[in-house]
Amino acid sequence: MHIRLTGADMLDKVVAAGFDLEHGLKRVPTGIEGEAVVTAEQVAELKVLGVEILRDDAGFAWSNEADGGLGAASARAVQPSNHEATVRIARADWFTTKGQGFLYVEARTTDGQQADPIVGMQLENDSGKGTSFGFARTMSRFVDSGQYMFHRNLFKLDARPNQIRVTSSTGGVTTGYVSNWLEDAAPPLTADPSYKSDFVDGYRHPQQLYSRAEEIARQYPDIAEIIDLPNQTNGYQRKAQATIGGTGQSAVVVSSAAWGHEGGNDITVEFVDRPGANLPLAVEVAGKAVRVLLAKDASGALASTAAQVAAALKTQSQGLIDRAHPYRTNAGTGVVAPTSGPVALTDFLDQKRAGAPEGEVPRGPATIPVLRIGKHRDGKKPGVLIQAQDHAREWVPATTSLEAAERLVHNYRTDRETKDIVDNTDVFFILSNNPDGANYSFYNFASQRRNMTNHCPDANADPGRRNSWGVDLNRNYRVGSGHDGYAGASTSCVSDTFQGPEELSEPESQNIIWLVEKYSNIKFMMSVHSNGGQLFWQPGAYIADGRITTPRPPLGDEAFYWQSAARILSQVKAHRETVVTPENVGGSSDVLYSSAGNVREDLYHTYGIYAFGWEVGGSVYNPATGNWQGGSFQPDWVGNPDLVSGHAETMEYANGIMEMFRVAADWGRDNQNPTSELVPGTGQYSGPVDVRFETNEPATIYYTTDGSRPTLESPRYAATEFREPGQVFHVTETTTFRWFSVDSAGNIEKNYDPTKSDKRDNYRTATITIANR
């Protein structure tokens, strides 16, 4: 069902209630829209929760008329703000796809939180350099968790504007230049006709992925090896179960002690009526056959309740039955009826889903292999971790990651760019981080998101809940977790965002921490998901009350993320002009919603790893209809190569992963110190003046204005507001700024050492002298 929620708070409530919401959620001015996988009976439950059910054509769509946008943080052309500005342009981006131009704009007003009356914003654009402003349009106001975010819009436009003007209903006005979003150049790797690509010919289940990883290591031992992660998964396995006697007070849920494939599937349970009166409840066991001899009262009527039968099975089944209990929240007060014969227990894993690949799935715990590729695997080169398929139903991330691995080994000896990557990076591929859940998705339940571990108490442990068990591995980490009060994770064991009983409860998440701690050269990470068409980083979570996010990256790291994203996404675009729009890039809690306990947050804040989250797939512009067409978790492999296609998504996003390797290689050999300036700089001014810092590359600035030398403990130059350029200082009296800058690779301006104080201190200084009147 196509649905609309009022915001992140309602999203949490709906997910906590056990509803399966597709990943293709998008933020709209009136809340969040997306798809819910529901039965007809659940529609009424959604409506009770306040969810709006939409027609297929009733969702939010950007207006096709007017204007928008501002490029990556490293190339913003926006007019400098001043301290009195009440309206600021954060972005004004121009891009083209499939022959159509688009503009995206984000602007913020200092009066944005005002809701009575709601402050409006109007956008105008010119038609190119030297033309006048026109085409006025009203912008959309976005609020999340009760907090004003910004106004933003995406518009079709046939000609590229040079400037935009934004005016608020409270009188503020500002102008800004338009920047290009993404490059139009051909991909430097795949453009060469001799370059080898397109290795993956269909979706792969975990056994196929792992087998190919091991084969690559055998074929290319000089540049590849396998690392087995130490914590085995809980396994593609289930206890054998049956619910006997319907779903009322007389129903009993029975689970085997042994896994289904280890004997649980051989167990039968029979409830037996015997002639006579005043008969006690008893249990007989013959081999794997369990017979419950039901009690009778003085009149010869059956007298065993469901609660009594369950208790007898747990204590008298000679260890065959592990759990027995009344159905869900029932008290089990109903009298149990005899069965018509023995009831066979089953783990429900012996039936293949229609269309699933052939081949038996191995039962039991799985060891996850890491395919490590690099000429120098000694920890001296920057490591890049590619982690795919945390979420089981997301099949394209696994094929995308495998395609990137194939390109590395097949092109190493023939392609200069690939050789540079393999020689100068250390790449770790986890092709499927959730093999148990992925197998369940392939063979049993296509929409499975989590692993298969059943942490549920009796109330949710019957086989009718089997498609709702498991932990969302991307909610199981330690920073900004649901256990600490952050939004976007659930305590319900049948929720699709179940965070687990505790942080790092799952072997799959424990393995990631083990890997980055053992291989401390890992400096970059990409957690590959689908199908939202987004690229994001920190902050990824917030406490809903007050919308308090996890710590934001310093302005220098934020700029480096944006710069890297522009490179990565330009390579995606080069394949078939698919554009991940700027509204879908940035801190994930800013562009989408809060996801408490995600892996990116933990790796960045705990280990200093540049950790990206990538939602591949998503919307593709369809020039035939003039609309953006959404994707799916398991699109047809071939499909329409210009629209939704598993093959096309695999190839274009593999381009992006290859570019991430190039980013890491460039980072690893960066030994150039950054430079920075205070603008305007040293000088005498007749009155108060606004100043700001500028850098020649993404870099973090540490500064003082109190006469002390700057250190790593000094204030950091910050953004004016999230998704905006650096702050503006309003200087009203003579002030000396002392500062230094540090780039993403750790190079320090002028080789200044902030940890030592000596007479050769060579930090930067500038004195703003305000003349006395």
Side-chain angles (χ1 to χ4, degrees):
M1 301 291 294
H2 191 187
I3 63 171
R4 181 183 295 142
L5 308 102
T6 55
D9 288 348
M10 181 179 286
L11 174 64
D12 283 351
K13 292 176 183 177
V14 172
V15 171
F19 287 94
D20 180 10
L21 298 187
E22 295 280 349
H23 244 202
L25 298 172
K26 65 179 181 180
R27 196 181 280 287
V28 300
T30 52
I32 295 173
E33 290 183 4
E35 304 296 323
V37 180
V38 292
T39 64
E41 293 77 13
Q42 290 175 312
V43 173
E45 297 178 49
L46 283 176
K47 290 180 177 178
V48 169
L49 290 170
V51 176
E52 183 180 358
I53 309 298
L54 303 174
R55 303 188 317 273
D56 287 343
D57 60 350
F60 173 76
W62 293 109
S63 167
N64 286 339
E65 307 172 61
D67 183 20
L70 250 183
S74 60
R76 285 185 175 134
V78 65
Q79 296 280 31
S81 297
N82 64 66
H83 73 287
E84 294 177 335
T86 59
V87 173
R88 301 187 304 272
I89 297 171
R91 312 188 59 80
D93 293 298
W94 166 262
F95 65 88
T96 60
T97 178
K98 310 294 178 67
Q100 178 61 57
F102 287 88
L103 270 150
Y104 173 75
V105 66
E106 276 176 23
R108 186 176 279 110
T109 170
T110 54
D111 298 321
Q113 195 65 27
Q114 180 179 323
D116 188 18
I118 292 175
V119 175
M121 299 268 272
Q122 181 176 274
L123 171 69
E124 300 170 276
N125 63 271
D126 63 19
S127 299
K129 190 172 183 179
T131 61
S132 59
F133 289 112
F135 316 104
R137 297 293 185 273
T138 299
M139 296 184 67
S140 300
R141 178 176 179 262
F142 282 74
V143 174
D144 181 42
S145 197
Q147 299 297 309
Y148 169 69
M149 301 283 286
F150 36 63
H151 285 69
R152 70 177 184 180
N153 279 82
L154 176 71
F155 295 110
K156 282 184 183 178
L157 208 60
D158 292 332
R160 186 192 189 284
N162 182 55
Q163 283 186 285
I164 62 169
R165 180 167 64 194
V166 178
T167 306
S168 78
S169 58
T170 55
V173 61
T174 191
T175 62
Y177 289 99
V178 174
S179 296
N180 291 327
W181 172 243
L182 307 187
E183 302 172 5
D184 291 322
L189 291 176
T190 56
D192 185 342
S194 66
Y195 184 81
K196 303 178 185 68
S197 62
D198 205 352
F199 294 97
V200 183
D201 58 4
Y203 292 121
R204 307 288 181 93
H205 57 63
Q207 293 72 246
Q208 294 170 318
L209 293 168
Y210 296 168
S211 176
R212 179 54 189 152
E214 291 164 357
E215 186 177 5
I216 286 173
R218 288 192 298 269
Q219 288 179 312
Y220 304 93
D222 58 327
I223 59 172
E225 64 178 306
I226 292 293
I227 300 168
D228 285 331
L229 293 174
N231 302 294
Q232 286 193 313
T233 69
N234 291 313
Y236 177 79
Q237 56 188 6
R238 288 268 169 85
K239 300 297 180 72
Q241 293 185 298
T243 300
I244 304 173
T247 60
Q249 291 289 344
S250 301
V252 179
V253 178
V254 181
S255 301
S256 65
W259 297 108
H261 66 285
E262 293 180 342
N265 289 335
D266 301 326
I267 297 172
T268 61
V269 175
E270 183 178 11
F271 296 166
V272 180
D273 182 8
R274 298 167 291 167
N278 291 317
L279 298 177
L281 175 64
V283 177
E284 294 181 345
V285 178
K288 295 294 181 68
V290 179
R291 299 177 77 238
V292 178
L293 309 179
L294 300 174
K296 286 195 167 184
D297 62 17
S299 66
L302 292 169
S304 296
T305 66
Q308 292 168 336
V309 168
L313 281 168
K314 286 191 289 186
T315 58
Q316 301 177 42
S317 65
Q318 298 182 19
L320 292 178
I321 302 303
D322 182 49
R323 296 171 74 169
H325 50 85
Y327 181 78
R328 298 194 180 171
T329 57
N330 292 347
T333 56
V335 174
V336 171
T339 60
S340 59
V343 176
L345 273 58
T346 175
D347 61 8
F348 296 93
L349 298 179
D350 54 352
Q351 299 175 0
K352 293 182 179 179
R353 186 174 61 81
E358 296 182 0
E360 185 68 17
V361 182
R363 300 297 197 267
T367 296
I368 299 176
V370 179
L371 174 60
R372 186 182 188 184
I373 297 177
K375 182 62 176 177
H376 307 287
R377 303 183 302 279
D378 55 5
K380 295 180 180 179
K381 300 295 182 179
V384 184
L385 171 59
I386 304 297
Q387 176 212 50
Q389 210 169 37
D390 250 359
H391 294 151
R393 62 192 177 194
E394 299 166 8
W395 295 0
V396 175
T399 56
T400 297
S401 302
L402 178 59
E403 172 69 20
E406 298 279 12
R407 292 184 187 184
L408 287 179
V409 296
H410 283 281
N411 291 291
Y412 175 62
R413 301 194 184 283
T414 58
D415 179 75
R416 180 178 58 82
E417 293 281 356
T418 304
K419 188 175 190 306
D420 181 70
I421 290 171
V422 175
D423 286 350
N424 291 289
T425 63
D426 190 1
V427 181
F428 300 77
F429 286 98
I430 300 178
L431 299 176
S432 175
N433 196 47
N434 184 3
D436 304 340
N439 278 316
Y440 198 73
S441 175
F442 269 104
Y443 289 95
N444 303 98
F445 177 58
S447 293
Q448 178 75 9
R449 170 181 164 100
R450 293 156 286 166
N451 68 8
M452 287 181 63
T453 308
N454 180 8
H455 288 289
C456 284
D458 291 349
N460 284 305
D462 62 273
R465 295 286 205 209
R466 66 186 181 277
N467 292 338
S468 298
W469 295 330
V471 173
D472 182 343
L473 298 177
N474 204 34
R475 300 295 186 275
N476 193 230
Y477 290 84
R478 302 166 296 183
V479 176
S481 78
H483 299 278
D484 294 327
Y486 285 81
S490 177
T491 58
S492 169
C493 68
V494 291
S495 166
D496 248 356
T497 57
F498 177 47
Q499 62 193 3
E502 59 187 21
E503 295 167 351
L504 296 184
S505 62
E506 305 308 293
E508 297 91 340
S509 53
Q510 293 168 18
N511 280 334
I512 300 301
I513 299 305
W514 176 88
L515 189 68
V516 300
E517 289 185 346
K518 182 174 178 63
Y519 300 97
S520 58
N521 64 315
I522 295 176
K523 301 300 181 184
F524 294 85
M525 186 266 191
M526 180 79 81
S527 180
V528 191
H529 293 260
S530 69
N531 64 330
Q534 291 128 358
L535 181 59
F536 41 67
W537 47 84
Q538 307 75 43
Y542 56 74
I543 296 171
D545 186 7
R547 201 179 185 280
I548 303 169
T549 70
T550 51
R552 293 185 178 276
L555 184 58
D557 279 4
E558 180 85 2
F560 180 71
Y561 271 125
W562 277 106
Q563 183 186 73
S564 301
R567 290 180 57 173
I568 292 166
L569 297 177
S570 292
Q571 291 303 304
V572 174
K573 181 181 179 183
H575 181 73
R576 56 168 186 161
E577 291 194 73
T578 295
V579 173
V580 175
T581 60
E583 67 183 292
N584 287 317
V585 180
S588 62
S589 65
D590 298 335
V591 302
L592 192 54
Y593 50 76
S594 178
S595 52
N598 67 77
V599 64
R600 306 179 309 277
E601 213 86 73
D602 203 327
L603 298 197
Y604 177 78
H605 289 295
T606 308
Y607 303 102
I609 295 170
Y610 288 106
F612 293 81
W614 204 355
E615 290 272 350
V616 306
S619 297
V620 178
Y621 181 68
N622 185 347
T625 63
N627 296 316
W628 293 81
Q629 179 176 330
S632 66
F633 294 119
Q634 301 143 17
D636 290 343
W637 179 253
V638 179
N640 184 335
D642 293 323
L643 297 175
V644 178
S645 161
H647 174 260
E649 289 179 6
T650 294
M651 296 305 128
E652 65 192 352
Y653 285 98
N655 278 4
I657 289 178
M658 297 299 291
E659 186 63 21
M660 185 172 183
F661 300 151
R662 287 159 53 91
V663 168
D666 289 345
W667 180 91
R669 55 178 161 249
D670 179 8
N671 58 11
Q672 296 295 311
N673 295 336
T675 61
S676 59
E677 298 290 341
L678 188 71
V679 180
T682 294
Q684 184 166 327
Y685 301 87
S686 60
V689 62
D690 290 339
V691 301
R692 68 189 188 280
F693 286 112
E694 291 183 355
T695 60
N696 70 325
E697 62 172 303
T700 298
I701 291 176
Y702 297 84
Y703 72 93
T704 66
T705 57
D706 62 1
S708 62
R709 67 187 299 272
T711 70
L712 293 173
E713 304 302 318
S714 299
R716 287 189 301 216
Y717 184 53
T720 303
E721 183 57 90
F722 65 90
R723 296 173 69 82
E724 289 192 26
Q727 65 197 98
V728 174
F729 301 101
H730 184 57
V731 182
T732 60
E733 60 185 14
T734 297
T735 303
T736 296
F737 288 81
R738 293 172 170 81
W739 78 92
F740 65 94
S741 60
V742 185
D743 68 14
S744 60
N747 300 304
I748 301 180
E749 187 170 7
K750 299 180 68 176
N751 291 318
Y752 171 61
D753 187 347
T755 67
K756 298 178 182 178
S757 178
D758 58 39
K759 297 179 180 179
R760 295 175 297 160
D761 276 348
N762 55 342
Y763 49 76
R764 302 294 311 282
T765 65
T767 299
I768 307 297
T769 302
I770 306 298
N772 293 324
R773 292 184 176 180

